[in-house]
Structures are given as structure tokens and as C-alpha cells.
Amino acid sequence: MMALLMAETNRYLSRRMTKGVPAGVLALTVIGFTIAYFVIRAEDGSLDFVRDMAFQGDQGFEAEAGQPESQTFVLGPIGFLFPIIAFAMGASFFGADQKNGVIELLLTWEPKRLKLLSARALGGFTVTSVMAIVLSVAFVAAQYLLAGLVGTTDGMTSQMWGWIGAAVVRSGLASGLFFLIGLGITTVVNNSIAAIVGFVIYVFVIENLLSAFVGLVGPWLPMVNTTAFSFGTNVTPATVFSEAPPSIHHGPMAAGLITAVYAAVFLVFGFVVFKRRDVA
């Protein structure tokens, strides 16, 4: 199993998408923060790392009722985008090889299908999680450097750094779980393009509608929970038709467990379908 795991991990690492995504994210980070630096300097502005970037609150964290003190928004949009990117990477890892006949070739070397798919899942989950953690660290470092150059980093404590570190790790785990979801769904539908397009439509259209208008379903949706898990926030049902303040449904750790359940269900479903499918 170890030899197969190493082979599948190296196969994943050698893919152009696996190399290109981190390079693209790092390039956009450098470009974005360079532009931000010159814009802020030109406008004679200033940034506060604690209040403007990391915790967005007057006391170093959001003083919102019911929210955990350790919540942090330092990851900004990447905390939401990384799971989507990870899904696409998981989908492509199976779909591209299926389309090009690599899966059939690999099964001549390792005929046990569940063993092959398990190695892909474990190797891809690990690489994707580590990749997201490294990119998140780079993103946080860029914000800290920017604030140091055109503002202030005063107010940061070791406890707050611990909260940020935990958010970075949670973001990495969430990305790894969505890699597994992408792998599982693509194994079922046997087409990575269909899986990715369908998932994007779901994330940006269907889940938003469900979250806003179906209160019983909203707190259980995958993107709602992975975002809460990454940022360390509570999940609260939508209050579109209610003037009452939102109530807490469950916390960030429960949100992480729900995301893990989604990954397990889709992956097991993929295992079952893959085992029964004629790939010849």
C-alpha cells in the first residue's frame, strides 16, 4: 500500500494543475498586495492589522453576541475559495486520468480498485491540505507585512497568533475534505467537467437560495459549514423573513464534523460506484 500511496501522491504532485494553482495564487497575492501598498501610500491611508484585517473588532476581535472570541477573518476570500479550488483539483485528478485511459492502465498494475482509489484519496487529501496551509500562511504574512509598511501591527498577542494559526490549519483541512468531495463526485458521474460545472452552479446559486429561504436546510449545507469551520464562526440560520436576531445552530467544530461527513459520504459512494463500473 505504501508504494501505491507514494506513486499516486507523486502522480498528483506532477500534474500541471497541482503546480499551477499554488504558483497562480502566490503571484496574485504578490500583485494584489503590491498594488494595495501603492494605493494606500498614494491616498496617505493606513491599515491596522488587528482591527482591519485579522479580527475586525474594536477590541481585537469581533464583539458580536454569540460568536466565539477566536473567530478571525484574516484569510478573507481565500477561506471561501480554497475549498472550491480543492474540489476542482480532486475532480480533475480522477476525471483527467479516466478520460485519457490512465485509470485502466493503473488497474493492470493494481487490480484492487478500492486500494487504488484509497491511495488517491489519502495522497490527494494530504497534499491539498498542506498546500492550502502554506498558501494561507503566505497570505497572512503578506497582510502582516503590508500593515507593517503602511499602518500598524500593534495589539497582536501570542493568543491571537494562536487563533490565526488554528484558522490556517482549519482552512487546510477544509480544502483537503473538499478534494475528497470532488474526487468522490467525479468518480460517480465519471466526468470532471460535469462535476466542476455542477458544483460551481450549486455553490453560487443553489446553496445561496437554500441558505436564504429554507431555514431547516441552511445550517446543514456544505459551504455554509466549511466557511464557518475555516473562520471559526458559529452557524446561524438565515433570517430573511424574520426580524428576530439570528440564533446559534451549532459551532465551528461541529461545522467541521459536518463537512467531514459530506466528504466521507461522497467518497464512499464513489468507492461503491467505481467498484461496480466496467472500466474496460
Side-chain angles (χ1 to χ4, degrees):
M1 179 63 180
M2 186 56 66
L4 180 61
L5 176 60
M6 293 301 298
E8 289 303 307
T9 301
N10 289 333
R11 189 184 307 281
Y12 183 53
L13 287 170
S14 66
R15 302 190 74 245
R16 284 179 294 180
M17 189 173 187
T18 310
K19 298 175 181 178
V21 167
V25 172
L26 287 175
L28 289 174
T29 299
V30 172
I31 293 171
F33 282 99
T34 300
I35 294 173
Y37 170 79
F38 287 108
V39 169
I40 295 170
R41 287 290 300 270
E43 296 180 352
D44 197 25
S46 179
L47 285 176
D48 187 317
F49 179 75
V50 174
R51 294 175 176 82
D52 295 337
M53 294 179 166
F55 297 96
Q56 300 178 359
D58 293 336
Q59 303 300 324
F61 54 84
E62 186 75 29
E64 184 177 342
Q67 291 289 8
E69 186 178 275
S70 59
Q71 67 173 325
T72 172
F73 301 96
V74 71
L75 297 179
I78 69 171
F80 176 79
L81 291 176
F82 274 2
I84 299 175
I85 295 172
F87 180 98
M89 295 177 71
S92 176
F93 189 32
F94 183 87
D97 283 353
Q98 181 275 330
K99 181 178 179 181
N100 294 317
V102 176
I103 296 297
E104 293 91 326
L105 180 62
L106 291 175
L107 288 175
T108 63
W109 175 50
E110 176 50 70
K112 295 181 179 180
R113 301 186 184 191
L114 298 189
K115 190 175 180 181
L116 174 63
L117 199 57
S118 296
R120 291 202 150 206
L122 182 57
F125 171 84
T126 303
V127 171
T128 304
S129 297
V130 172
M131 183 185 304
I133 289 173
V134 171
L135 292 174
S136 296
V137 169
F139 191 75
V140 172
Q143 291 181 79
Y144 191 79
L145 177 62
L146 180 63
L149 292 173
V150 293
T152 179
T153 59
D154 292 343
M156 276 300 295
T157 64
S158 58
Q159 183 183 45
M160 290 178 178
W161 279 119
W163 293 341
I164 290 176
V168 166
V169 172
R170 291 196 304 268
S171 179
L173 293 175
S175 299
L177 291 174
F178 268 78
F179 169 90
L180 297 180
I181 293 174
L183 178 66
I185 291 178
T186 305
T187 304
V188 172
V189 302
N190 211 27
N191 187 306
S192 58
I193 300 299
I196 294 171
V197 171
F199 180 70
V200 169
I201 293 173
Y202 167 79
V203 168
F204 291 102
V205 180
I206 298 175
E207 180 159 316
N208 284 329
L209 294 175
L210 291 174
S211 180
F213 298 107
V214 187
L216 292 177
V217 175
W220 302 101
L221 298 174
M223 289 305 297
V224 169
N225 282 281
T226 194
T227 302
F229 178 59
S230 296
F231 290 107
T233 58
N234 292 318
V235 174
T236 57
T239 56
V240 175
F241 302 111
S242 174
E243 296 181 358
S247 58
I248 298 173
H249 190 275
H250 55 264
M253 292 301 102
L257 290 175
I258 291 171
T259 305
V261 169
Y262 274 110
V265 168
F266 283 117
L267 194 59
V268 169
F269 193 24
F271 282 166
V272 172
V273 172
F274 186 53
K275 185 177 181 180
R276 298 181 178 182
R277 177 180 293 143
D278 181 7
V279 297

